[in-house]
Amino acid sequence: MSAEHDSELSFFRRYVFSLDHKVIGVQYTVTALCFLFFGFCLMMLMRWQLAYPGEPLPIIGSLFGEAAMPGGVMLPEFYNSLGAMHGTIMVFLGVVPILVGGFGNYVMPLQIGAADMAFPKLNMMSYWVYAAGGVVMLTGFFVPGGAANSGWTSYPPLSDIATTGQTVWLFGMVLLITSSLLGSVNFIVTIAHLRAKGLTMFRLPFFVWAQLVTAFLLLLAFPPLEAAGVMQLMDRLAGTSFFLPTGLVVSGEVQQVSGGGSPILWQHLFWFLAHPEVYVLILPAMGIVAEVIANNTRKPLWGYRAMVYSTIFLGFMSFIVWAHHMFMTGMGTTISAFFATTTMIISIPSVVILTALLISLYQASIRFTVPMLFALAFLPMFAIGGLTGLPLGLPASDIHLHDTYYVIGHFHYVVAPGTIFAIFAGVYYWFPKVTGRMMNSALGKAHFWGSFIFMNVVFMPMFWIGLAGVSRRLYDQTAYTHGEAVQDLTITSSWGAWMLGVAQIPFIINFFVSARAGKKVAENPWDSTTLEWSAPSPPPHGNFATEPVVYRGPYEYSVPDRSQDFFPQFTPSEG
């Protein structure tokens, strides 16, 4: 059936405009990995300016043309563009698409026993709208004035009066948000209606629960930002004043605008999305880590139901904490206390999930595979990110720490060594399912140790730099005495970033070489219990030769009186 199906399709329908969720998942993954690499390169350029301000970029400085001074010294405007585009690319074009569009598209239908997503054409459209949004976003580098340079948060009124690149950024964001909305509807309907016979909600793998809650977050939180993006476009192109206040003065001149708008309104609309967005990043990552830990401890997840309920509660609470990003806007003490309280409460379900994963390691027969190394490293890295976020949720301490490098350190411990370690765990774990081949273990371990060491070298110094009061968006922090005092830490952080780039070389080699020449594997190389491993590796069109039936929970490892230490969901009970 699969061969017949493939033979009927042209190359473009099979691999480019495919309706198969697996091809679309691979498209999302490869595209997002490319964007992650590009966004990482932008960061490495920024780190040169921060470590060695006023010095020409070596080798490539002369290639930047109008973005650099004569001799190759980076201009402040170009530095601001790098900062805005780095944040946008890494979050909206990299991490979210690979976790939801990549892993979610490929693995979730297999884990629930579905032949495909509920709406295959909508699925294809979600990828191509995402790809178009990415291309539009990158064209900002080629318009007059360069790419968007108002920060990845694009706060008005600066963003309303910025160069043409900001308009391009807004068009790109509208496309990316539309893509996420199309995908989230598809995920919810697929999980609700296409589960295999016997697969009740509490037999779902934790990864599927994480994707389901994430889909609801995307569906409910992204529309306010899309509306805000359209409103800011109207301010820039149609003369409206949604975010432009009356009497705005720019370069000594009063702007002739209708006025009456509120820059704070943008912050409310942006952060109403951007705080749930943090959990859009972290929940699928937790789902991946849970799958890898259960498989490599050879025992069920401890507190599976508590983890599920915590995930649901986390999703709900994420909608009522957004203004802890806005304590500096002058809100009253009562509303500040409300958002500080909800921020402390939302830490509880995260701690429950993290604790359950840690307890799952107790008395386990741990296999230190490459996916497991990344999954284990995720736990302390995410814990550091979470704990350092607590002072930012309290107005008294946030006033000092707001918009300093402390915030960058906190957020990146969640998203960089946290979420990205989960991504690598997922790539190594499901690579044999996608390709039918294993990635090289020696190269994988070299990649892990290099990444683990240098991730901490990059981000740990930022806590001390931030505590010294150094602002996160300074082009040259040595212009200030308190910044110059911690410049050695900044140089250390920059060298850590460049070495982190070097540490990714084994992964890149491993990824491409293993896809063509890696060791071929059986259908279930990890001896896993979940439903995706009942399909061939790689799965054919339609995924399963016969309609799968589920008989038990997702993590039946080390069941007594069994001849093997795993009991797959799809295996009937003996006798």
Side-chain angles (χ1 to χ4, degrees):
M1 185 68 182
S2 174
E4 292 176 9
H5 169 83
D6 288 346
S7 64
E8 294 171 1
L9 297 177
S10 66
F11 175 84
F12 280 94
R13 285 309 305 273
R14 195 186 313 169
Y15 296 113
V16 182
F17 298 107
S18 175
L19 302 181
D20 191 320
H21 74 97
K22 298 182 294 297
V23 176
I24 295 169
V26 171
Q27 288 175 323
Y28 261 113
T29 300
V30 173
T31 307
L33 284 172
C34 291
F35 278 125
L36 281 173
F37 178 75
F38 181 69
F40 184 75
C41 290
L42 299 185
M43 181 271 289
M44 289 196 288
L45 294 176
M46 295 172 66
R47 295 309 312 181
W48 176 266
Q49 168 59 31
L50 291 169
Y52 305 109
E55 295 189 21
L57 282 160
I59 303 174
I60 59 174
S62 59
L63 303 177
F64 287 117
E66 296 180 359
M69 304 175 193
V73 177
M74 187 184 301
L75 286 171
E77 295 81 2
F78 183 55
Y79 176 83
N80 287 340
S81 290
L82 292 177
M85 294 303 290
H86 165 72
T88 303
I89 289 169
M90 298 302 270
V91 173
F92 295 108
L93 288 170
V95 175
V96 173
I98 197 172
L99 285 171
V100 180
F103 289 112
N105 254 308
Y106 199 103
V107 177
M108 183 273 289
L110 289 167
Q111 286 199 330
I112 67 171
D116 209 315
M117 297 288 278
F119 307 116
K121 290 183 179 178
L122 206 65
N123 203 21
M124 177 190 73
M125 189 182 300
S126 73
Y127 169 74
W128 284 106
V129 173
Y130 154 70
V135 171
V136 169
M137 193 76 75
L138 294 188
T139 58
F141 283 104
F142 304 101
V143 300
N149 54 17
S150 302
W152 79 282
T153 56
S154 290
Y155 280 2
L158 177 62
S159 56
D160 266 17
I161 61 173
T163 55
T164 308
Q166 181 65 26
T167 302
V168 175
W169 186 93
L170 289 165
F171 276 117
M173 281 301 298
V174 168
L175 289 170
L176 295 175
I177 294 169
T178 302
S179 166
S180 292
L181 294 178
L182 295 174
S184 60
V185 170
N186 212 351
F187 274 56
I188 293 168
V189 175
T190 300
I191 296 170
H193 290 286
L194 298 186
R195 300 192 309 278
K197 182 180 178 180
L199 188 59
T200 60
M201 293 301 287
F202 280 100
R203 285 180 173 177
L204 289 175
F206 184 68
F207 176 80
V208 177
W209 271 108
Q211 291 287 339
L212 178 62
V213 175
T214 298
F216 274 106
L217 296 184
L218 290 170
L219 184 65
L220 298 174
F222 254 138
L225 183 60
E226 185 154 28
V230 173
M231 291 159 70
Q232 192 175 117
L233 277 171
M234 295 289 286
D235 278 8
R236 293 179 58 83
L237 302 177
T240 60
S241 289
F242 290 107
F243 306 119
L244 286 171
T246 303
L248 180 65
V249 177
V250 180
S251 299
E253 296 184 6
V254 178
Q255 295 296 290
Q256 299 303 311
V257 294
S258 55
S262 170
I264 301 300
L265 173 61
W266 169 271
Q267 292 193 34
H268 281 292
L269 294 171
F270 180 87
W271 289 115
F272 187 78
L273 164 274
H275 199 86
E277 180 77 3
V278 173
Y279 299 101
V280 169
L281 301 172
I282 205 63
L283 284 177
M286 287 177 167
I288 293 171
V289 169
E291 298 299 308
V292 174
I293 285 179
N295 177 256
N296 287 281
T297 56
R298 315 309 294 166
K299 58 184 289 192
L301 284 177
W302 188 91
Y304 165 81
R305 284 184 177 248
M307 291 174 68
V308 170
Y309 290 133
S310 295
T311 301
I312 297 169
F313 183 63
L314 196 71
F316 169 75
M317 288 298 297
S318 70
F319 287 101
I320 51 176
V321 298
W322 79 89
H324 69 214
H325 296 272
M326 299 171 58
F327 288 138
M328 297 289 282
T329 59
M331 66 177 72
T333 54
T334 302
I335 198 69
S336 293
F338 170 79
F339 282 106
T341 302
T342 57
T343 301
M344 296 304 110
I345 291 172
I346 202 175
S347 67
I348 296 171
S350 297
V351 171
V352 170
I353 296 171
L354 197 64
T355 302
L357 293 174
L358 285 169
I359 295 176
S360 296
L361 302 175
Y362 179 66
Q363 290 189 334
S365 179
I366 299 175
R367 303 187 307 192
F368 290 100
T369 62
V370 176
M372 187 60 167
L373 291 174
F374 278 104
L376 290 174
F378 167 89
L379 302 177
M381 298 298 97
F382 175 71
I384 292 171
L387 287 171
T388 54
L390 294 178
L392 300 174
L394 300 171
S397 48
D398 181 67
I399 288 171
H400 173 68
L401 298 171
H402 188 81
D403 259 353
T404 67
Y405 270 91
Y406 182 95
V407 179
I408 295 186
H410 149 68
F411 178 70
H412 281 79
Y413 259 99
V414 173
V415 176
T419 300
I420 291 180
F421 275 13
I423 289 173
F424 284 135
V427 169
Y428 283 101
Y429 182 64
W430 281 303
F431 189 87
K433 173 54 59 181
V434 178
T435 65
R437 299 176 183 273
M438 293 290 285
M439 295 183 76
N440 182 274
S441 179
L443 284 174
K445 289 178 180 178
H447 173 224
F448 166 75
W449 286 111
S451 298
F452 180 74
I453 293 168
F454 292 115
M455 279 279 194
N456 286 283
V457 174
V458 177
F459 299 115
M460 188 62 74
M462 292 183 182
F463 293 123
W464 281 272
I465 297 171
L467 288 168
V470 179
S471 174
R472 64 191 292 187
R473 293 189 175 94
L474 289 177
Y475 168 73
D476 178 6
Q477 71 183 46
T478 62
Y480 298 87
T481 302
H482 66 286
E484 190 171 16
V486 291
Q487 181 64 7
D488 287 346
L489 290 174
T490 299
I491 294 172
T492 300
S493 181
S494 291
W495 276 98
W498 300 325
M499 294 308 296
L500 181 61
V502 173
Q504 305 316 301
I505 294 174
F507 171 74
I508 295 170
I509 294 171
N510 201 355
F511 187 88
F512 289 105
V513 172
S514 297
R516 295 183 61 87
K519 178 185 176 183
K520 290 187 177 181
V521 297
E523 291 181 359
N524 192 358
W526 304 112
D527 291 337
S528 183
T529 58
T530 45
L531 203 54
E532 77 268 28
W533 299 104
S534 67
S537 301
H541 180 75
N543 298 335
F544 303 94
T546 58
E547 185 175 345
V549 179
V550 173
Y551 299 94
R552 62 191 56 81
Y555 307 116
E556 297 285 335
Y557 292 101
S558 301
V559 178
D561 302 322
R562 294 287 299 173
S563 59
Q564 56 192 18
D565 72 346
F566 66 107
F567 198 9
Q569 284 186 294
F570 46 88
T571 303
S573 299
E574 294 176 345

